[in-house]
Amino acid sequence: MTNRSWAERDLRVLWHPCTQMRDHADFPPIPIRRGQGVWLEDFDGRRYLDAISSWWVNLFGHANPRINAAVGVQLAQLEHVLLAGFTHEPAVRLSERLLALAPPGLTRAFYADSGSAAVEIALKMSFHYWQNRGRKNRTRFICLSNSYHGETLGALAVGDVALYKQTYAPLLLKPITVGSPDCYRRAPGASCAEHAGRMFAEMEAALSRRAEETCAVIIEPLVQCAGGMRMYDPVYLSLLRAACDKYQVHLIADEIAVGFGRTGTLFACEQAGITPDILCLGKGLSGGYLPLSACLVGDDLYQAFYADYTAQKAFLHSHSYTGNPLACAAANATLDIFRDDDVLTRNRALAAHMGKAAASLADHPHVAEVRQQGMIVAIEMAKNKATREPYPWQERRGLRVHRHALEQGVLLRPLGDVVYFMPPYVITPEEIDLMARVAEQGIIHATK
Ligand code: PMP
């Protein structure tokens, strides 16, 4: 079988995610035969460096021998059992380990199967907590402009990326949206910390006026990933934690994209020394192997639901595959690698290399900014470098980078005009150089 034959069969029967299928009339999807480390290989034998970790999920490479082995062992024991009324070793061990690694004060793990589902759970748990505590007026959520929390209706509602949200607006909860501390938008001469401090005034005002109707503030700590890898200073998180305490509103940290070492620390919240009331995890949680997500919560939250059954306080949310044993086994193997390989230290050297490899791009006449947070590097293209005026979106400059890079054997998938690197942690310095070289050529090609 060749690329062409699989693509033809695909296009007769599949409907792909996040895709205008008409685009595939000219550029068919690429059938992947196998993966190995950072490399994907198609049916014609061409290889692609997975510079975006297959939508930010893969941490230790495709077909990682240790995760493969762990999933294999689990597969021979138990593939799945419902997690209501039953439990299993992988889920118990994973919960113990996640709670030991997470910021202090988180004591319970509730599982689901996608990031969006974890966000739905966080929103429902927070709302339900206030119901159980007799604060029935609390029905609203505060979120940041340019945020992203997933595609299901609740998660979409607390996001702010128009491309995904606008069409469905009539169906959605109405959050209170306050300005993002996104450092790209700072005033000339301001530091990211100053900008974050200034932007926090809006959050403080919203909390002081609306706390009595608000369940929670939900944020992506440090990096608004789907919003274009926009980054902000950790001081915003410290201020937010203090304000949520002051106004007695939950803080939900969505670390689905930034958790597990992406920002340089195991969890991004660590960089501000804060513990959220609910920590949402997903994506890299299973090493990029199987769908798994979790909400970690503290005792106060848990206790608000703990009562005699007839008090009707239980959290009755469920998904069929909640806490799937194979996914939990992959997650345990992923945590083993973090423990055994001193990953965060090694990543510091890789991150430094990525920063250096991308630095010269800042001089390009259509690159407005090169920014980095740990193992994420983003290169923002703009029509006008000085004013940061963007290209008209209809020109799809990012897509040109994507197609050019594929021809050169690198999978880049820009978010609009933001080209970014978010590779698996097993990438080598030489592969980083290749990735950066191809990105540079792609940007030159796309901005001609
Ligand atoms: N939250 C954040 C911060 C994300 O980046 C994503 C996925 N890009 C989600 C939630 C949703 O996760 P999933 O795609 O697994 O539903």
Side-chain angles (χ1 to χ4, degrees):
M1 293 296 285
T2 60
N3 275 6
R4 187 154 164 208
S5 55
W6 279 118
E8 279 171 4
R9 283 172 65 178
D10 171 293
L11 289 175
R12 265 180 246 128
V13 290
L14 267 88
W15 188 348
H16 288 272
C18 204
T19 299
Q20 170 47 267
M21 291 297 289
R22 169 67 183 73
D23 283 352
H24 280 322
D26 305 318
F27 291 91
I30 300 170
I32 294 299
R33 186 212 315 254
R34 66 165 76 94
Q36 186 66 59
V38 298
W39 293 97
L40 298 167
E41 185 187 316
D42 72 15
F43 278 77
D44 295 344
R46 266 202 302 273
R47 301 202 315 152
Y48 309 89
L49 195 166
D50 186 357
I52 60 160
S53 298
S54 287
W55 267 346
W56 323 337
V57 300
N58 192 291
L59 299 187
F60 298 119
H62 296 278
N64 181 288
R66 286 145 87 183
I67 306 177
N68 284 3
V71 173
V73 168
Q74 183 57 40
L75 189 56
Q77 289 289 321
L78 172 70
E79 82 301 332
H80 186 66
V81 62
L82 74 167
L83 201 61
F86 293 85
T87 191
H88 50 79
E89 182 185 334
V92 174
R93 286 185 54 223
L94 180 60
S95 308
E96 289 170 351
R97 298 174 75 183
L98 287 174
L99 295 166
L101 291 166
L106 299 171
T107 53
R108 295 272 161 185
F110 192 102
Y111 291 99
D113 47 16
S114 71
S116 301
V119 170
E120 299 290 333
I121 287 164
L123 300 177
K124 284 177 68 179
M125 265 183 183
S126 175
F127 167 79
H128 198 161
Y129 170 94
W130 295 113
Q131 294 290 307
N132 283 354
R133 290 273 192 244
R135 310 284 282 272
K136 307 275 185 192
N137 292 335
R138 294 199 177 217
T139 57
R140 308 290 301 273
F141 294 91
I142 298 179
C143 66
L144 294 177
S145 61
N146 194 46
S147 57
Y148 180 91
H149 297 287
E151 297 294 334
T152 53
L153 292 178
L156 198 58
V158 292
D160 184 47
V161 179
L163 177 64
Y164 308 125
K165 178 172 179 175
Q166 205 163 298
T167 309
Y168 309 99
L171 302 181
L172 303 176
L173 288 173
K174 303 261 180 294
I176 299 159
T177 307
V178 308
S180 164
D182 169 11
C183 192
Y184 187 68
R185 303 223 164 274
R186 69 193 177 278
S191 70
C192 288
E194 283 161 357
H195 182 65
R198 261 176 232 156
M199 290 310 294
F200 191 73
E202 237 184 89
M203 177 64 83
E204 172 84 35
L207 281 167
S208 75
R209 275 203 305 272
R210 316 288 286 270
E212 276 314 310
E213 53 182 304
T214 300
C215 303
V217 177
I218 180 166
I219 45 110
E220 295 157 273
L222 298 188
V223 189
Q224 294 187 309
C225 293
M229 300 295 164
R230 295 292 181 80
M231 300 171 184
Y232 63 89
D233 193 274
V235 72
Y236 194 88
L237 299 175
S238 319
L239 294 169
L240 182 58
R241 178 66 276 179
C244 286
D245 287 342
K246 178 172 160 196
Y247 294 106
Q248 296 200 349
V249 164
H250 288 144
L251 173 55
I252 302 171
D254 174 353
E255 294 221 18
I256 288 160
V258 295
F260 299 101
R262 263 303 153 197
T263 65
T265 42
L266 191 61
F267 299 108
C269 283
E270 291 170 31
Q271 296 187 39
I274 63 153
T275 300
D277 297 288
I278 306 178
L279 177 62
C280 300
L281 302 174
K283 291 192 186 274
L285 171 59
S286 71
Y289 265 62
L290 288 153
L292 183 68
S293 63
C295 287
L296 307 188
V297 305
D299 204 46
D300 176 53
L301 203 135
Y302 178 73
Q303 289 302 335
F305 294 81
Y306 194 88
D308 192 85
Y309 184 79
T310 55
Q312 294 193 300
K313 289 187 168 180
F315 190 60
L316 298 179
H317 187 105
S318 66
H319 297 288
S320 311
Y321 284 102
T322 295
N324 172 261
L326 296 171
C328 289
N332 278 313
T334 300
L335 293 183
D336 288 345
I337 297 174
F338 272 105
R339 182 195 59 206
D340 298 341
D341 289 11
D342 202 8
V343 172
L344 298 177
T345 306
R346 226 184 37 206
N347 278 2
R348 275 200 283 280
L350 287 174
H353 194 94
M354 275 211 303
K356 260 193 244 125
S360 66
L361 275 161
D363 301 329
H364 186 278
H366 287 291
V367 170
E369 184 176 68
V370 176
R371 51 182 175 266
Q372 179 171 22
Q373 177 70 59
M375 289 297 285
I376 306 173
V377 168
I379 303 134
E380 182 126 5
M381 299 187 290
K383 184 171 178 188
N384 186 316
K385 190 181 178 91
T387 63
R388 299 187 162 184
E389 179 199 349
Y391 284 108
W393 63 268
Q394 295 88 340
E395 294 177 6
R396 305 182 80 183
R397 304 264 172 174
L399 185 65
R400 297 187 209 176
V401 177
H402 169 69
R403 288 184 179 153
H404 186 85
L406 279 180
E407 285 167 16
Q408 308 300 316
V410 177
L411 166 51
L412 295 170
R413 203 171 189 277
L415 296 151
D417 291 340
V418 179
V419 180
Y420 68 92
F421 308 142
M422 203 152 159
Y425 306 157
V426 294
I427 194 167
T428 65
E430 295 71 34
E431 288 162 344
I432 289 174
D433 293 341
L434 169 68
M435 180 172 79
R437 208 164 49 238
V438 168
E440 180 164 16
Q441 291 160 3
I443 289 167
I444 290 168
H445 167 79
T447 56
K448 267 206 269 245

